[in-house]
Each structure stands twice: as C-alpha cells, then as structure tokens.
Amino acid sequence: MTKGGDMVGVVWWLFVYFLVTIPVFLGLGLVAQLSGAVWAKRASELVLITGITALLPVVLDRAFDKPVLWPVVVVLAAVLVFGVVMHLRSYRRPS
C-alpha cells in the first residue's frame, strides 16, 4: 500500500474505534448510575475521552476536503480538553 492508502486505513480504524466506544460508554455509564461504582464512572469518562480523541483526526482529515467542518474540529478539540480537565479534577475530589 502507498502512504496515502495507509492513512485512509488508519482513519477508518479510528472511526471504527469511535463507533465501538459509544455502546461501551453507555454500558459503563449505566453501571455507574445503577451501582454507584466509582471505577465505572471513571472508566466511562476515559472511554469517552479516547473516543473523542479517535474522532478528532477523522474529522480533521475530512475538514481539509470540506472547510465547513473546521468549526466541528474546534468544538471537538474544546470538548476533549474540557473532558480531560474534568476527569483529572475528579481525582482530587472525594468520590
């Protein structure tokens, strides 16, 4: 495969990973809500953060073709930074 073909494959797998994180996040969030388990809450936060991290390069790759997607890239980056900050702050607070 060419270098461009490898990039398409990486973007495709990142998108698939993002799609997989959706039900995993929902399942862990449900477990956290029903049981009050701190580990499930933090695991769901990490799954959400990694899902957004995987989606960001996918949207960024498409934004070069369609400039209308640049606001989506900015919003995803902001949500990612906010999510990481909130996740790290949750370790300081007693659970």
Side-chain angles (χ1 to χ4, degrees), residues 1-9:
M1 257 188 200
T2 64
K3 195 164 195 139
D6 290 341
M7 185 61 183
V8 171

Side-chain angles (χ1 to χ4, degrees), residues 15-63:
F15 184 68
V16 169
Y17 177 79
F18 164 73
L19 291 178
V20 168
T21 62
I22 295 170
V24 173
F25 167 73
L26 292 174
L28 285 170
L30 184 63
V31 168
Q33 282 293 104
L34 294 177
S35 69
V38 176
W39 68 266
K41 180 180 183 281
R42 292 196 174 145
S44 69
E45 291 171 354
L46 285 175
V47 168
L48 180 65
I49 289 170
T50 60
I52 293 171
T53 303
L55 185 62
L56 192 58
V58 173
V59 176
L60 187 63
D61 183 54
R62 296 292 297 156

Side-chain angles (χ1 to χ4, degrees), residues 61-83:
D61 183 54
R62 296 292 297 156
F64 288 115
D65 297 333
K66 298 182 185 255
V68 73
L69 290 175
W70 281 107
V72 176
V73 171
V74 171
V75 168
L76 275 175
V79 168
L80 178 63
V81 169
F82 180 75

